[in-house]
Amino acid sequence: MPPLNYSAATDKGMCRDNNEDTYFASPDIGVWLVADGMGGHEAGEVASAIVRDSIKQQVAINVPLTTSVEFAHSAILDAVKQGIGAPGMGSTVVALKSRNTEYEIVWVGDSRAYLWTFHDEGGSLEQLTLDHSYVQMLVDTGAISPTEVDNHPDKNVITQCLGSLELRQVRVDQVHGTWEKHQWVLLCSDGLSDELDDESLARVLCESRSPKDAVSKLLQAALDNGGNDNVTLQIIESPLSKRYFYTGITDWLPELTGQSGIDFTLYSLALASFGLLCFWIFG
Protein backbone atom coordinates (compact mmCIF):
# COMPACT_ATOMS: atom_id res chain seq x y z
CA MET A 1 0.00 0.00 0.00
CA PRO A 2 1.18 3.58 -0.63
CA PRO A 3 2.17 5.79 2.33
CA LEU A 4 -0.80 7.05 4.33
CA ASN A 5 -2.05 10.58 3.88
CA TYR A 6 -1.65 12.69 7.04
CA SER A 7 -1.27 16.19 8.39
CA ALA A 8 0.33 17.54 11.58
CA ALA A 9 0.72 20.82 13.47
CA THR A 10 2.07 22.13 16.75
CA ASP A 11 1.76 25.52 18.47
CA LYS A 12 2.94 26.94 21.79
CA GLY A 13 -0.56 28.22 22.50
CA MET A 14 -1.68 31.58 23.78
CA CYS A 15 -0.37 31.40 27.36
CA ARG A 16 3.05 29.71 27.12
CA ASP A 17 6.33 31.23 25.99
CA ASN A 18 7.80 27.95 24.76
CA ASN A 19 6.59 24.70 23.25
CA GLU A 20 7.31 21.51 25.19
CA ASP A 21 5.33 19.36 22.74
CA THR A 22 6.77 17.58 19.74
CA TYR A 23 5.69 15.05 17.13
CA PHE A 24 7.14 12.54 14.70
CA ALA A 25 5.63 11.42 11.41
CA SER A 26 7.03 8.80 9.08
CA PRO A 27 4.53 7.52 6.51
CA ASP A 28 7.28 5.44 4.91
CA ILE A 29 7.53 3.19 7.97
CA GLY A 30 3.95 3.82 9.09
CA VAL A 31 4.64 5.44 12.48
CA TRP A 32 3.31 8.68 13.98
CA LEU A 33 3.53 10.03 17.53
CA VAL A 34 2.75 13.03 19.71
CA ALA A 35 4.77 13.70 22.88
CA ASP A 36 3.90 16.29 25.54
CA GLY A 37 6.89 17.27 27.69
CA MET A 38 6.78 18.50 31.24
CA GLY A 39 9.29 19.81 33.73
CA GLY A 40 9.41 23.53 33.18
CA HIS A 41 11.14 25.77 30.66
CA GLU A 42 13.58 23.78 28.46
CA ALA A 43 13.40 20.55 30.49
CA GLY A 44 10.00 19.53 29.11
CA GLU A 45 11.02 20.05 25.53
CA VAL A 46 14.22 18.10 26.17
CA ALA A 47 12.20 15.16 27.51
CA SER A 48 9.73 15.12 24.60
CA ALA A 49 12.60 15.37 22.10
CA ILE A 50 14.29 12.37 23.72
CA VAL A 51 11.03 10.42 23.42
CA ARG A 52 10.67 11.38 19.76
CA ASP A 53 14.26 10.58 18.82
CA SER A 54 14.55 7.32 20.78
CA ILE A 55 11.28 5.90 19.42
CA LYS A 56 12.27 7.00 15.92
CA GLN A 57 15.56 5.12 16.22
CA GLN A 58 13.96 2.00 17.64
CA VAL A 59 11.11 1.61 15.18
CA ALA A 60 13.54 2.18 12.30
CA ILE A 61 15.23 -1.12 13.25
CA ASN A 62 11.88 -2.90 13.66
CA VAL A 63 11.71 -2.82 17.46
CA PRO A 64 8.04 -3.27 18.53
CA LEU A 65 6.29 -0.01 19.30
CA THR A 66 5.58 -0.92 22.94
CA THR A 67 9.22 -1.81 23.53
CA SER A 68 10.30 1.42 21.84
CA VAL A 69 8.19 3.43 24.29
CA GLU A 70 9.68 1.52 27.24
CA PHE A 71 13.12 2.31 25.85
CA ALA A 72 12.21 6.02 25.70
CA HIS A 73 11.46 5.96 29.43
CA SER A 74 14.95 4.61 30.13
CA ALA A 75 16.47 7.11 27.70
CA ILE A 76 15.08 10.06 29.69
CA LEU A 77 16.36 8.62 32.98
CA ASP A 78 19.80 8.06 31.44
CA ALA A 79 19.84 11.62 30.10
CA VAL A 80 19.17 13.02 33.59
CA LYS A 81 22.08 10.97 34.98
CA GLN A 82 24.30 12.53 32.30
CA GLY A 83 23.21 16.04 33.24
CA ILE A 84 20.99 16.52 30.20
CA GLY A 85 17.76 18.40 30.84
CA ALA A 86 16.70 18.47 34.47
CA PRO A 87 15.77 15.97 37.20
CA GLY A 88 12.03 15.33 37.20
CA MET A 89 11.51 16.08 33.51
CA GLY A 90 9.11 13.75 31.74
CA SER A 91 6.81 13.31 28.79
CA THR A 92 3.59 11.68 27.74
CA VAL A 93 3.34 9.90 24.40
CA VAL A 94 0.70 8.50 22.09
CA ALA A 95 1.85 6.66 18.97
CA LEU A 96 0.27 4.95 15.99
CA LYS A 97 1.81 2.19 13.88
CA SER A 98 -0.03 1.21 10.71
CA ARG A 99 0.73 -1.84 8.59
CA ASN A 100 -1.47 -2.72 5.64
CA THR A 101 -5.05 -2.62 6.99
CA GLU A 102 -4.11 -3.07 10.65
CA TYR A 103 -3.05 -0.45 13.17
CA GLU A 104 -1.71 -0.37 16.72
CA ILE A 105 -1.89 2.54 19.17
CA VAL A 106 0.21 2.74 22.35
CA TRP A 107 0.32 5.43 24.99
CA VAL A 108 1.61 6.59 28.36
CA GLY A 109 0.03 9.58 30.09
CA ASP A 110 -2.88 11.69 28.90
CA SER A 111 -2.08 12.37 25.26
CA ARG A 112 -4.93 10.82 23.31
CA ALA A 113 -5.97 8.97 20.18
CA TYR A 114 -9.43 9.26 18.65
CA LEU A 115 -11.02 7.38 15.77
CA TRP A 116 -13.22 9.42 13.45
CA THR A 117 -15.49 7.57 11.02
CA PHE A 118 -17.47 9.38 8.33
CA HIS A 119 -20.96 8.08 7.57
CA ASP A 120 -24.14 9.29 5.92
CA GLU A 121 -25.36 11.09 9.06
CA GLY A 122 -22.07 12.96 9.45
CA GLY A 123 -19.65 10.89 11.48
CA SER A 124 -18.84 9.26 14.81
CA LEU A 125 -16.01 9.95 17.24
CA GLU A 126 -14.50 7.28 19.50
CA GLN A 127 -11.78 7.87 22.07
CA LEU A 128 -9.39 4.94 21.70
CA THR A 129 -7.14 5.71 24.69
CA LEU A 130 -7.83 6.02 28.41
CA ASP A 131 -5.84 8.69 30.23
CA HIS A 132 -3.30 7.61 32.81
CA SER A 133 -4.64 10.27 35.14
CA TYR A 134 -5.99 10.76 38.62
CA VAL A 135 -9.50 11.64 37.42
CA GLN A 136 -9.63 8.61 35.13
CA MET A 137 -8.75 6.49 38.15
CA LEU A 138 -11.65 8.12 40.02
CA VAL A 139 -13.96 7.29 37.11
CA ASP A 140 -12.72 3.69 37.00
CA THR A 141 -13.42 3.23 40.71
CA GLY A 142 -16.83 4.90 40.48
CA ALA A 143 -15.84 7.82 42.71
CA ILE A 144 -16.91 10.33 40.04
CA SER A 145 -18.90 10.09 36.81
CA PRO A 146 -17.38 10.71 33.36
CA THR A 147 -19.38 13.94 33.12
CA GLU A 148 -17.47 15.35 36.12
CA VAL A 149 -14.02 14.89 34.56
CA ASP A 150 -13.79 18.12 32.54
CA ASN A 151 -14.50 20.37 35.54
CA HIS A 152 -12.51 18.42 38.13
CA PRO A 153 -9.70 20.53 39.70
CA ASP A 154 -7.20 17.66 39.32
CA LYS A 155 -8.02 16.73 35.73
CA ASN A 156 -4.44 17.39 34.58
CA VAL A 157 -2.76 15.25 37.25
CA ILE A 158 -1.33 12.18 35.52
CA THR A 159 -0.46 8.91 37.23
CA GLN A 160 2.51 8.01 35.07
CA CYS A 161 4.76 9.49 32.42
CA LEU A 162 7.95 8.61 30.61
CA GLY A 163 10.94 9.69 32.70
CA SER A 164 9.18 9.48 36.07
CA LEU A 165 11.82 8.97 38.77
CA GLU A 166 9.31 6.97 40.83
CA LEU A 167 8.83 4.33 38.14
CA ARG A 168 11.44 1.77 37.23
CA GLN A 169 9.16 0.67 34.42
CA VAL A 170 6.12 2.27 32.83
CA ARG A 171 2.91 0.51 31.87
CA VAL A 172 2.43 1.01 28.17
CA ASP A 173 -1.21 0.51 27.21
CA GLN A 174 -2.17 -0.47 23.69
CA VAL A 175 -5.14 -1.06 21.41
CA HIS A 176 -5.33 -2.71 18.00
CA GLY A 177 -7.74 -2.04 15.19
CA THR A 178 -8.55 -2.70 11.55
CA TRP A 179 -8.85 0.21 9.17
CA GLU A 180 -12.11 0.83 7.36
CA LYS A 181 -12.86 3.26 4.57
CA HIS A 182 -13.52 6.89 5.45
CA GLN A 183 -11.66 6.80 8.78
CA TRP A 184 -9.13 9.10 10.39
CA VAL A 185 -7.07 8.63 13.55
CA LEU A 186 -6.43 11.80 15.55
CA LEU A 187 -3.40 11.90 17.87
CA CYS A 188 -3.17 14.91 20.19
CA SER A 189 -1.70 16.40 23.33
CA ASP A 190 -4.01 17.57 26.10
CA GLY A 191 -3.65 21.10 24.79
CA LEU A 192 -6.27 20.11 22.24
CA SER A 193 -8.49 17.79 24.27
CA ASP A 194 -8.65 20.22 27.21
CA GLU A 195 -9.95 23.01 24.97
CA LEU A 196 -12.36 20.99 22.82
CA ASP A 197 -14.81 18.43 24.18
CA ASP A 198 -15.96 15.44 22.12
CA GLU A 199 -18.90 17.33 20.63
CA SER A 200 -16.66 20.18 19.50
CA LEU A 201 -14.08 17.81 18.07
CA ALA A 202 -16.76 15.92 16.14
CA ARG A 203 -18.27 19.11 14.77
CA VAL A 204 -14.96 20.31 13.34
CA LEU A 205 -14.05 16.90 11.93
CA CYS A 206 -17.45 16.59 10.28
CA GLU A 207 -16.96 19.94 8.56
CA SER A 208 -13.44 19.15 7.31
CA ARG A 209 -12.66 17.97 3.81
CA SER A 210 -9.16 16.52 4.41
CA PRO A 211 -6.68 15.80 7.23
CA LYS A 212 -4.88 19.05 6.41
CA ASP A 213 -8.11 21.02 6.60
CA ALA A 214 -9.12 19.31 9.86
CA VAL A 215 -5.75 19.90 11.53
CA SER A 216 -5.84 23.59 10.63
CA LYS A 217 -9.40 24.02 11.92
CA LEU A 218 -8.84 22.06 15.15
CA LEU A 219 -5.67 23.97 15.98
CA GLN A 220 -7.41 27.31 15.42
CA ALA A 221 -10.40 26.21 17.50
CA ALA A 222 -8.13 25.26 20.41
CA LEU A 223 -6.40 28.64 20.24
CA ASP A 224 -9.73 30.47 19.98
CA ASN A 225 -10.96 28.64 23.08
CA GLY A 226 -8.05 29.93 25.14
CA GLY A 227 -4.97 28.03 24.00
CA ASN A 228 -3.94 27.59 27.62
CA ASP A 229 -1.35 24.93 26.81
CA ASN A 230 0.84 23.82 23.95
CA VAL A 231 -1.25 22.23 21.22
CA THR A 232 -0.02 19.38 19.02
CA LEU A 233 -2.02 17.08 16.77
CA GLN A 234 -1.79 14.74 13.82
CA ILE A 235 -4.51 13.21 11.68
CA ILE A 236 -3.79 10.03 9.74
CA GLU A 237 -6.13 8.84 7.02
CA SER A 238 -7.14 5.22 6.46
CA PRO A 239 -5.19 3.51 3.66
CA LEU A 240 -8.55 2.33 2.30
CA SER A 241 -9.77 5.88 1.70
CA LYS A 242 -9.82 6.81 -1.98
CA ARG A 243 -7.52 9.67 -2.94
CA TYR A 244 -8.57 11.64 -6.00
CA PHE A 245 -5.99 13.28 -8.25
CA TYR A 246 -7.23 16.74 -7.31
CA THR A 247 -7.17 16.25 -3.52
CA GLY A 248 -3.61 17.49 -3.12
CA ILE A 249 -4.51 20.63 -5.07
CA THR A 250 -7.74 21.49 -3.25
CA ASP A 251 -6.00 21.02 0.11
CA TRP A 252 -4.11 24.23 -0.61
CA LEU A 253 -7.00 26.24 -2.03
CA PRO A 254 -9.59 28.23 -0.05
CA GLU A 255 -12.72 26.22 0.65
CA LEU A 256 -15.73 27.14 -1.44
CA THR A 257 -18.42 24.51 -1.02
CA GLY A 258 -16.79 22.06 1.42
CA GLN A 259 -16.70 19.35 -1.28
CA SER A 260 -13.31 18.85 -2.90
CA GLY A 261 -14.67 17.65 -6.24
CA ILE A 262 -17.00 20.59 -6.68
CA ASP A 263 -14.34 23.06 -5.50
CA PHE A 264 -11.85 21.65 -8.02
CA THR A 265 -14.41 21.98 -10.82
CA LEU A 266 -15.18 25.59 -9.90
CA TYR A 267 -11.50 26.54 -9.70
CA SER A 268 -10.84 24.78 -13.02
CA LEU A 269 -13.68 26.69 -14.70
CA ALA A 270 -12.41 29.95 -13.25
CA LEU A 271 -8.88 29.25 -14.48
CA ALA A 272 -10.15 28.27 -17.93
CA SER A 273 -12.26 31.44 -18.11
CA PHE A 274 -9.28 33.54 -17.16
CA GLY A 275 -7.20 31.84 -19.82
CA LEU A 276 -9.82 32.51 -22.48
CA LEU A 277 -10.11 36.14 -21.38
CA CYS A 278 -6.35 36.61 -21.63
CA PHE A 279 -6.35 34.96 -25.06
CA TRP A 280 -9.18 37.26 -26.21
CA ILE A 281 -7.42 40.39 -24.93
CA PHE A 282 -3.83 39.62 -25.89
CA GLY A 283 -4.27 37.00 -28.62
Side-chain angles (χ1 to χ4, degrees):
M1 285 188 173
L4 274 64
N5 180 40
Y6 79 96
S7 185
T10 187
D11 193 282
K12 68 182 180 65
M14 307 299 291
C15 303
R16 302 291 182 92
D17 60 1
N18 69 313
N19 193 345
E20 296 182 295
D21 287 0
T22 191
Y23 67 86
F24 170 66
S26 179
D28 291 336
I29 60 176
V31 174
W32 294 259
L33 70 81
V34 167
D36 181 355
M38 60 199 74
H41 186 67
E42 293 187 355
E45 58 203 59
V46 171
S48 63
I50 291 172
V51 170
R52 177 197 63 209
D53 295 342
S54 60
I55 293 178
K56 175 182 176 181
Q57 293 168 1
Q58 294 299 302
V59 297
I61 56 175
N62 295 318
V63 174
L65 194 53
T66 298
T67 306
S68 299
V69 172
E70 293 170 345
F71 182 86
H73 174 60
S74 299
I76 295 177
L77 296 177
D78 290 343
V80 172
K81 291 178 182 178
Q82 297 169 23
I84 300 172
M89 70 178 181
S91 178
T92 70
V93 69
V94 59
L96 164 73
K97 184 172 185 179
S98 179
R99 181 177 177 83
N100 296 322
T101 60
E102 307 292 321
Y103 64 83
E104 172 190 15
I105 293 171
V106 304
W107 73 96
V108 173
D110 60 355
S111 289
R112 292 181 178 177
Y114 296 87
L115 179 67
W116 172 255
T117 304
F118 287 96
H119 51 66
D120 292 340
E121 292 74 30
S124 59
L125 184 70
E126 177 186 359
Q127 184 177 328
L128 299 176
T129 57
L130 280 178
D131 297 348
H132 296 150
S133 66
Y134 176 64
V135 292
Q136 184 60 52
M137 183 178 66
L138 294 178
V139 171
D140 293 342
T141 58
I144 65 172
S145 68
T147 58
E148 297 178 80
V149 169
D150 288 342
N151 296 318
H152 197 282
D154 297 321
K155 70 174 184 177
N156 293 120
V157 177
I158 59 176
T159 54
Q160 67 165 354
C161 69
L162 301 179
S164 172
L165 298 173
E166 289 76 28
L167 297 175
R168 184 174 180 180
Q169 291 183 317
V170 291
R171 186 187 84 249
V172 183
D173 279 342
Q174 59 183 306
V175 294
H176 295 83
T178 301
W179 285 111
E180 298 178 5
K181 291 182 180 179
H182 313 303
Q183 285 187 330
W184 295 345
V185 166
L186 164 65
L187 308 178
C188 66
S189 63
D190 65 348
L192 181 73
S193 55
D194 279 353
E195 301 296 353
L196 301 176
D197 59 19
D198 286 3
E199 182 180 350
S200 299
L201 287 172
R203 185 183 308 111
V204 174
L205 291 168
C206 190
E207 296 170 351
S208 301
R209 55 182 176 169
S210 68
K212 181 179 180 297
D213 186 36
V215 164
S216 177
K217 289 178 177 177
L218 287 171
L219 176 59
Q220 191 58 54
L223 298 178
D224 291 343
N225 282 4
N228 293 293
D229 198 356
N230 307 146
V231 185
T232 302
L233 67 154
Q234 300 202 66
I235 291 180
I236 303 94
E237 186 174 48
S238 166
L240 301 177
S241 296
K242 188 173 182 180
R243 292 280 291 170
Y244 296 95
F245 72 94
Y246 52 75
T247 305
I249 299 173
T250 54
D251 277 354
W252 294 97
L253 294 172
E255 183 176 338
L256 296 176
T257 67
Q259 299 184 47
S260 297
I262 296 176
D263 285 356
F264 179 75
T265 300
L266 292 174
Y267 277 115
S268 297
L269 290 173
L271 182 61
S273 299
F274 178 74
L276 289 172
L277 180 62
C278 289
F279 177 79
W280 181 71
I281 296 174
F282 301 108

